[in-house]
């Protein structure tokens, strides 16, 4: 078979042979990956979207405790991907990492279902309250954190694994890969749509056992979807520990801190072979930033030990550029934390705000407050194809850029929209509290104000997601060194983790400060006597300051360039 019939990015098929372009990859394999992701996200959101209400109703937790437990757990779900990413890039590869961690995921989902449905594991309840034991609470949280570990092996690998199905050295396939991230995020939100509507309704009207049991079954379906496409997948071989390579560059640089870097950068050490020493990675061209680390690639007489070159003394230019790529990504990564804090309000403060409002849709049907997140999902489902099919071609005419906007521009637009979403949520809370004050509804459980006034704030966050989160997925995949893509995808996901932790920290600080002197504070159990609007204004201000910082970061950033390939941004 001619060489042109195989991929040029180092991918192999399930049997370890070079990947045949005609028989593997592209959209024919991606449909299984997208189907798996849709089912897995349906399972995840079906369990997490309404979790704040489960902790309040069944585990008898107050608003602040329930909200903080949700954001802490959700944050952990976005930290554990660092574990999965390390294993994928270093030892197992993305395919086998996903295959391994789904087992932990399913066990966790099963235990959570049992803790909500089996006598002895589920809390005993009467009409007014539930009375969970310490063991029952522990069983619930053990299940939740098993799910957090299981999802940690899947999250950082699936999007990168899908992108691996397109050969970046092939111009036609490269264009398709850009569209893949839009459709990947769309599949996530189709799953979330079913979760926030059907599954939340089941939880609030049929029971939590069924409400958690259905996601567990759907997760099993996700596993079947994934394995059905095995023969069609293109698999990137693991390149060894990226952490070790990074540490080697740092150690070698400090060992040679007194060495002078030659003016002619072609004299820096690099292998003579066409491929780099790192399995599954193309060579990277030298860049001028962070020049101190170039010292690791300066060859001296002391570098050979017993005739062999030690990687702790001498590193290739490509290895040095791997470290530089990570350093360049960190400021962009940090700018996503505040956006994720805003995003996390959908599963906490938006739900608590909606709990106080009239949830009726017609005279007989009542929509759970957590189900309003379906409008965020509908917004993504609307904007993702609109962006891909309408906005990009239109923007391309003015910018001349193949993607319409650069990835950094796309993320920046999303940051602006997120500020507007917090302002919108704050305005609604001002109107709601004025309505309470005017009519003396302070002790009314549901005030006669439709919950559908929350729709604009959900819709705006959905629009912001399409620009920022999808742009972030694509940005971290593209700008990551080839052998560190799972790790960089995990790094992008940790912004969601830190955003959730920041939300927990802000709620804790705000509660501590605003409840001094016996005051109820901004976020009391009776939201009609609080000031949630002040919390929204705080987030809007933080988001604005974050955007100003992001503009400076974007101007400073330089895109990576693989050897022999044109620079793309």
């Amino acid at each position: 078979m001619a060489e042109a019939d195989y991929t040029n990015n180092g991918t192999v098929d399930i049997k370890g042979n070079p990947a045949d372009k005609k028989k593997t990859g592209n959209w024919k394999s991606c449909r299984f990956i997208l189907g798996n992701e849709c089912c897995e996200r349906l399972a995840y959101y079906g369990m997490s979207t309404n979790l704040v209400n489960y902790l309040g109703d069944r585990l008898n937790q107050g608003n602040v405790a329930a909200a903080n437990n949700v954001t802490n757990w959700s944050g952990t779900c976005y930290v554990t991907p660092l574990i999965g990413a390390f294993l994928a890039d270093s030892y197992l590869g993305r395919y086998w990492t996903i295959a391994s961690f789904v087992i932990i995921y399913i066990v966790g989902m099963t235990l959570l279902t049992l803790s909500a449905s089996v006598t002895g594991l589920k809390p005993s309840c009467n009409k007014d309250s539930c009375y969970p034991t310490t063991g029952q609470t522990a069983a619930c949280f053990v299940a939740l954190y098993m799910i957090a570990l299981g999802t940690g092996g899947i999250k950082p690998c699936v999007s990168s694994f899908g992108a691996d199905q397109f050969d970046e050295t092939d111009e036609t396939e490269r264009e398709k890969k850009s569209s893949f991230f839009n459709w990947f995020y769309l599949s996530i939100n189709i799953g979330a749509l079913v979760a926030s509507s059907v599954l939340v309704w089941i939880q609030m009207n049929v029971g939590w056992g069924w409400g958690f049991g259905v996601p567990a079954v759907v997760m099993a379906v996700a596993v079947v979807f994934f394995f059905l496409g095995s023969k069609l997948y293109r698999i990137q071989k693991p390149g060894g520990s990226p952490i070790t390579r990074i540490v080697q560059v740092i150690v070698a640089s400090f060992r040679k801190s007194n060495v002078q870097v030659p003016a002619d950068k072609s004299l820096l050490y690099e292998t003579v072979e066409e491929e780099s020493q790192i399995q599954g990675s193309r060579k990277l061209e030298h860049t001028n930033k962070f020049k101190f680390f170039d010292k690791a690639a300066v060859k001296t007489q002391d570098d050979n030990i017993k005739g062999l070159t030690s990687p702790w003394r001498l590193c290739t230019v490509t290895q040095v550029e791997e470290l530089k790529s990570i350093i360049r990504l960190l400021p962009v990564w940090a700018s996503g934390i505040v956006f994720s804090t805003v995003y996390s309000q959908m599963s906490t403060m938006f739900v608590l705000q909606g709990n106080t409002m009239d949830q009726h849709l017609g005279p007989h049907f009542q929509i759970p407050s957590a189900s309003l997140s379906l409008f965020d999902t509908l917004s993504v489902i609307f904007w993702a194809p609109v962006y891909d099919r309408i906005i990009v071609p239109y923007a391309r005419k003015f910018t001349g850029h193949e993607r319409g906007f650069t990835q950094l521009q796309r993320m920046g637009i999303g940051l602006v929209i997120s500020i507007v979403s917090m302002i919108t949520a704050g305005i609604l809370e001002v109107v709601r509290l004025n309505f309470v004050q005017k009519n003396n509804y302070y002790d009314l459980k549901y005030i006669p104000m439709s919950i559908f006034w929350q729709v604009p704030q959900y819709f705006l966050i959905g629009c912001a997601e399409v620009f920022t989160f999808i742009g972030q997925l694509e940005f971290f995949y593209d700008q990551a060194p080839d052998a560190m893509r799972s790790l960089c995808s995990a790094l992008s996901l940790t912004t969601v983790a830190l955003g959730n932790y920041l939300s927990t920290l802000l709620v804790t600080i705000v509660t501590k400060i605003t409840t001094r002197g016996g005051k109820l504070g901004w976020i009391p159990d009776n939201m009609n006597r609080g000031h949630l609007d002040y919390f929204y204004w705080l987030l809007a201000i933080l988001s604005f300051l974050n955007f100003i910082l992001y503009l400076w970061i974007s101007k400073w950033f330089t895109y990576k360039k693989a050897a022999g390939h044109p620079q793309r941004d």
Side-chain angles (χ1 to χ4, degrees), residues 82-94 97 236-248 276-281 311-312 319 322 326 481-488:
L82 290 171
I83 300 171
F86 175 77
L87 291 174
D89 282 341
S90 304
Y91 306 110
L92 299 178
R94 287 184 264 279
T97 301
Q236 191 72 256
K237 294 179 181 178
S241 172
I243 305 298
T244 301
R245 293 198 300 274
I246 287 173
V247 175
Q248 285 172 343
S276 74
Q277 287 182 337
I278 304 163
Q279 178 75 44
S281 178
W312 295 94
Q319 193 174 338
E322 277 192 330
I326 298 299
D482 292 347
M484 300 176 70
R485 279 175 165 161
S486 293
L487 187 66
C488 287

Side-chain angles (χ1 to χ4, degrees), residues 50-62 65-71 73 132 137 140-141 144 208 212:
N50 207 22
L51 188 58
V52 70
N53 280 332
Y54 179 76
L55 297 180
D57 294 345
R58 293 294 183 265
L59 298 188
N60 207 21
Q61 297 182 351
N68 283 348
N69 276 325
V70 170
T71 50
W73 171 78
T137 302
C140 175
F141 279 95
L144 287 174
W208 291 101
F212 290 149

Side-chain angles (χ1 to χ4, degrees), residues 356-358 435-436 439 441 444 446-451 453:
T356 68
M357 304 172 77
D358 181 9
F435 187 63
V436 168
N439 296 281
Y441 287 150
L444 202 63
Y446 303 108
I447 66 171
M449 181 177 179
S450 175
I451 193 174
W453 284 107

Side-chain angles (χ1 to χ4, degrees), residues 264-279:
D264 184 359
K265 300 304 184 288
S266 65
L267 298 176
L268 294 175
Y269 176 66
E270 183 58 276
T271 58
V272 295
E273 290 83 6
E274 187 176 341
E275 297 295 324
S276 74
Q277 287 182 337
I278 304 163
Q279 178 75 44

Side-chain angles (χ1 to χ4, degrees), residues 365-387:
F365 185 76
Q366 190 171 349
I367 182 171
S369 57
S371 284
L372 250 70
S373 63
L374 69 88
F375 288 100
D376 161 77
T377 305
L378 288 172
S379 178
V380 172
I381 291 173
F382 171 77
W383 284 109
V386 166
Y387 181 87

Side-chain angles (χ1 to χ4, degrees), residues 37 40-41 44 47 73-74 76-82 84 101-102 104-106 144-158 219 493:
E37 182 65 9
E40 189 273 328
R41 290 290 87 186
Y44 176 83
M47 175 268 305
W73 171 78
S74 183
T76 304
C77 288
Y78 288 89
V79 166
T80 52
L82 290 171
F101 276 76
V102 292
I104 301 172
Y105 201 130
I106 290 177
L144 287 174
Y145 282 89
M146 283 189 73
I147 293 168
L149 179 59
T151 195
I154 299 173
K155 280 180 185 290
C157 297
V158 176
M219 186 59 212
L493 291 170

Side-chain angles (χ1 to χ4, degrees), residues 334-562:
S335 68
I337 295 173
V338 174
F339 178 83
S340 295
T341 302
V342 169
Y343 178 77
S344 72
Q345 303 314 306
M346 284 197 303
S347 60
T348 53
M349 296 308 164
F350 282 14
V351 176
L352 297 177
Q353 183 183 36
N355 284 344
T356 68
M357 304 172 77
D358 181 9
Q359 299 165 18
H360 284 91
L361 183 63
H364 304 296
F365 185 76
Q366 190 171 349
I367 182 171
S369 57
S371 284
L372 250 70
S373 63
L374 69 88
F375 288 100
D376 161 77
T377 305
L378 288 172
S379 178
V380 172
I381 291 173
F382 171 77
W383 284 109
V386 166
Y387 181 87
D388 192 54
R389 301 300 182 187
I390 299 175
I391 295 178
V392 169
Y394 186 76
R396 191 182 291 137
K397 295 178 181 178
F398 294 93
T399 64
H401 194 277
E402 64 176 349
R403 292 169 174 164
F405 300 105
T406 68
Q407 295 157 349
L408 290 171
Q409 288 171 342
R410 178 176 185 173
M411 289 187 282
I413 293 170
L415 295 182
V416 172
I417 298 171
S418 72
I419 298 171
V420 178
S421 73
M422 283 297 97
I423 293 173
T424 303
I427 291 172
L428 174 63
E429 185 64 8
V430 169
V431 172
R432 194 188 72 81
L433 291 175
N434 287 341
F435 187 63
V436 168
Q437 183 181 20
K438 181 179 178 181
N439 296 281
N440 195 27
Y441 287 150
Y442 291 105
D443 296 314
L444 202 63
K445 186 174 182 180
Y446 303 108
I447 66 171
M449 181 177 179
S450 175
I451 193 174
F452 290 100
W453 284 107
Q454 284 191 303
V455 169
Q457 64 204 52
Y458 280 101
F459 194 81
L460 284 167
I461 286 186
C463 182
E465 280 184 71
V466 169
F467 284 89
T468 298
F469 274 157
I470 301 179
Q472 194 177 62
L473 274 174
E474 187 175 359
F475 175 79
F476 275 83
Y477 181 88
D478 270 4
Q479 297 308 308
D482 292 347
M484 300 176 70
R485 279 175 165 161
S486 293
L487 187 66
C488 287
S489 292
L491 186 66
S492 73
L493 291 170
T494 58
T495 63
V496 181
L498 294 176
N500 277 278
Y501 293 147
L502 178 58
S503 179
T504 299
L505 180 63
L506 288 174
V507 169
T508 303
I509 292 173
V510 162
T511 300
K512 186 173 182 179
I513 293 175
T514 60
T515 54
R516 288 175 178 173
K519 295 179 181 178
L520 289 173
W522 290 1
I523 315 169
D525 287 342
N526 183 347
M527 300 294 283
N528 295 334
R529 296 183 179 275
H531 262 296
L532 184 58
D533 53 327
Y534 292 173
F535 187 69
Y536 289 144
W537 302 140
L538 174 63
L539 289 176
I541 292 168
L542 288 175
S543 297
F544 176 75
L545 295 175
N546 181 64
F547 175 68
I548 298 301
L549 181 61
Y550 178 81
L551 291 178
W552 179 82
I553 292 169
S554 300
K555 187 176 181 180
W556 168 86
F557 187 83
T558 54
Y559 291 87
K560 81 166 188 181
K561 186 178 180 183

